[in-house]
């Protein structure tokens, strides 16, 4: 009888924890790609001087490292600045909280070349793209990239399950940056307003920032102090170590995010002193902010983080659990009766 009860419990546990199975396939690149010209191979990306109306060839060595035929897709990308103050490469003109201030600096429209390349097993090809410098840009930089990937709706690069409505598509990519240099300028960082967002598991302090010049800036670093309304220091963050060569995009605006540094998120008035430094060129900016956490902000955080029971009741799941529990109890009772009957006989 003990064995029957044990097996019953295992069956019940399996039903509850594993309603469907996921088959995972190994994910990796089936190809290699790198700039073919010697002047670019050391850096691993294209960094070149240009001028108005000039066309520059950008050639890569693309190699199929697998034993099957593959199709490599290529996206042309623009460069924006993400919420950590680093360059991010996207196919869109803008993303949430980040955009270019000068739309003529969108690199994607100046990049020409194939959208896909078919490679036989172990085949290598030289593939040439071109950058067409527009007639109306004479200084600064245009920054973008080429994104290479292999992806198929039914390839082994996807996770799938027995439930056809459930699929996770994985796309492993290799990105090569492109920096078109005109007459050099100097980046100029401006630091704007601050605001809080509370509807996430971690509240965020958001700082509006801009690089108003069409030249990359480098090594963006922060130091800040958070005080309560009585002037008591609640948290102090020293400058982090310099990030070697990490740039933010030319002529771009973004929202820099800082995690709420305190263990609790309470209603009240807080004072933030923010120090910002950059290199190449060296800049230093200090800003003071007043941040007000309202009762509705605390409620939004509690809802998003699950620290307060604000979720709607899932009656479907509750009923399913009750039905399964009844079935398990019925099975246990049946086993007990069979055991008692066997003992009497």
């Amino acid at each position: 009888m003990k064995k029957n009860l044990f097996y019953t419990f295992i069956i019940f546990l399996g039903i509850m924890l594993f309603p469907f199975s996921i088959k995972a396939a190994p994910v990796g690149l089936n190809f290699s790609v790198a700039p073919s010209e010697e002047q670019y191979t050391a850096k691993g990306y294209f960094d070149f001087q240009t001028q108005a109306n000039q066309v520059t060839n950008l050639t890569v060595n693309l190699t199929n490292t697998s034993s099957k035929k593959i199709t490599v897709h290529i996206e042309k990308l623009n460069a924006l600045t993400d919420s950590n103050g680093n360059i991010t490469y996207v196919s869109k003109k803008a993303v949430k909280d980040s955009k270019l201030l000068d739309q003529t600096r969108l690199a994607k429209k100046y990049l020409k070349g194939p959208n896909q390349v078919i490679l036989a097993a172990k085949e290598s090809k030289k593939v040439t793209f071109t950058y067409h410098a527009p007639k109306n840009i004479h200084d600064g930089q245009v920054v973008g990239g080429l994104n290479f990937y292999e992806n198929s709706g039914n390839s082994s690069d996807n996770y799938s399950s027995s439930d056809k409505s459930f699929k996770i598509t994985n796309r492993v990519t290799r990105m090569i940056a492109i920096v078109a240099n005109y007459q050099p300028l100097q980046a100029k960082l401006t630091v704007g307003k601050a605001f809080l967002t509370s509807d996430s598991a971690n509240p965020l302090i958001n700082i509006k920032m801009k690089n108003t010049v069409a030249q990359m800036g480098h090594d963006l670093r922060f130091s800040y102090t958070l005080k309560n309304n009585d002037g008591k220091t609640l948290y102090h963050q020293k400058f982090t170590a310099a990030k070697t060569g990490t740039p933010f995009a030319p002529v771009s605006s973004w929202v820099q995010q800082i995690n709420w540094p305190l263990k609790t998120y309470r209603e009240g008035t807080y004072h933030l002193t923010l120090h910002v430094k950059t290199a190449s060129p060296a800049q230093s900016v200090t800003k003071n902010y007043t941040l007000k956490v309202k009762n509705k902000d605390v409620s939004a955080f509690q809802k998003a983080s699950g620290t307060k029971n604000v979720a709607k009741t899932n009656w479907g799941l509750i009923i399913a659990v009750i039905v399964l529990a009844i079935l398990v109890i019925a099975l246990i009772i049946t086993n007990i009766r069979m055991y008692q009957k066997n003992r009497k006989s």
Side-chain angles (χ1 to χ4, degrees):
M1 178 182 173
K2 289 183 178 179
K3 287 186 177 180
N4 288 337
L5 290 174
F6 175 74
Y7 292 143
T8 300
F9 174 74
I10 292 298
I11 292 170
F12 176 70
L13 191 64
I15 291 172
M16 293 300 297
L17 296 182
F18 304 101
F20 53 81
S21 60
I22 300 176
K23 183 180 179 182
V27 177
L29 284 174
N30 286 320
F31 64 89
S32 63
V33 61
S36 63
E37 289 94 340
E38 187 175 349
Q39 74 239 46
Y40 305 128
T41 53
K43 288 186 175 181
Y45 64 93
F46 296 104
D47 187 359
F48 55 91
Q49 196 69 33
T50 189
Q51 58 186 3
N53 291 319
Q54 183 171 305
V55 176
T56 303
N57 290 333
L58 310 170
T59 303
V60 299
N61 290 324
L62 186 59
T63 301
N64 180 359
T65 57
S66 75
S67 57
K68 63 179 181 179
K69 183 174 78 171
I70 63 171
T71 300
V72 178
H73 303 267
I74 303 101
E75 287 180 309
K76 287 83 172 177
L77 304 178
N78 301 310
L80 305 177
T81 306
D82 66 17
S83 59
N84 293 313
N86 302 323
I87 281 187
T88 183
Y89 297 89
V90 298
S91 59
K92 298 178 180 179
K93 294 181 179 180
V95 296
K96 186 178 183 295
D97 297 331
S98 180
K99 65 179 181 180
L100 290 189
L101 303 173
D102 182 354
Q103 298 292 293
T104 66
R105 301 285 170 163
L106 291 167
K108 183 177 179 179
K109 58 186 175 182
Y110 307 131
L111 293 170
K112 311 297 179 185
N115 294 321
Q116 65 179 40
V117 176
I118 299 174
L119 296 171
K122 304 298 182 181
E123 182 184 9
S124 294
K125 286 184 179 179
K126 286 187 180 293
V127 184
T128 298
F129 302 86
T130 53
Y131 174 82
H132 296 252
K135 63 181 181 181
N136 57 339
I137 292 182
H138 303 280
D139 53 21
Q141 296 171 314
V142 174
V143 182
L146 296 170
N147 196 37
F148 298 81
Y149 66 94
E150 182 197 3
N151 185 35
S152 173
N154 56 4
S155 75
S156 61
D157 292 334
N158 296 330
Y159 290 104
S160 61
S161 76
S162 56
D163 181 357
K164 292 183 179 180
S165 66
F166 182 87
K167 182 188 289 185
I168 304 174
T169 300
N170 290 270
R171 193 170 77 177
V172 184
T173 69
R174 170 74 167 91
M175 206 283 300
I176 297 179
I178 296 169
V179 182
N181 298 284
Y182 299 80
Q183 290 297 317
L185 300 171
Q186 285 195 328
K188 183 177 181 181
L189 181 72
T190 63
V191 181
K193 295 180 179 179
F195 61 97
L196 294 169
T197 51
S198 309
D199 55 349
S200 63
N202 294 304
L204 296 169
I205 302 170
N206 303 274
I207 314 292
K208 291 186 176 182
M209 294 195 168
K210 293 180 182 179
N211 176 11
T212 57
V213 176
Q215 189 84 18
M216 287 187 290
H218 293 269
D219 303 335
L220 182 64
R221 297 190 294 145
F222 299 90
S223 170
Y224 58 90
T225 302
L226 187 67
K227 297 181 179 181
N228 63 16
N229 207 31
D230 295 326
K232 180 182 178 181
T233 298
L234 304 175
Y235 189 88
H236 176 68
Q237 174 64 57
K238 296 180 180 180
F239 279 107
T240 54
K243 299 179 290 183
T244 54
T246 304
F248 48 92
V251 68
S252 62
S253 67
W254 70 97
V255 174
Q256 187 77 28
Q257 293 181 336
I258 300 172
N259 287 324
W260 182 254
L262 306 181
K263 293 182 179 179
T264 57
Y265 193 56
R266 295 177 178 173
E267 184 177 359
T269 300
Y270 301 85
H271 300 280
L272 177 72
T273 300
L274 177 71
H275 304 281
V276 185
K277 289 183 179 180
T278 68
S280 302
Q283 297 177 87
S284 180
V285 180
T286 299
K287 298 282 285 189
N288 293 297
Y289 302 100
T290 297
L291 303 173
K292 293 186 178 181
V293 178
K294 301 178 181 178
N295 181 262
K296 65 177 182 179
D297 299 322
V298 176
S299 298
F301 161 66
Q302 290 174 337
K303 181 177 180 180
S305 62
T307 56
K308 189 175 181 180
N309 185 20
V310 293
K312 293 183 179 179
T313 304
N314 189 335
W315 290 109
L317 180 61
I318 291 174
I319 292 171
V321 171
I322 292 173
V323 170
L324 284 172
I326 291 172
L327 290 173
V328 171
I329 292 170
L331 185 59
I332 293 172
I333 292 172
T334 301
N335 286 334
I336 292 172
R337 288 178 177 176
M338 289 181 63
Y339 173 75
Q340 291 174 343
K341 184 177 180 180
N342 291 334
R343 287 190 63 185
K344 288 180 181 179
S345 61

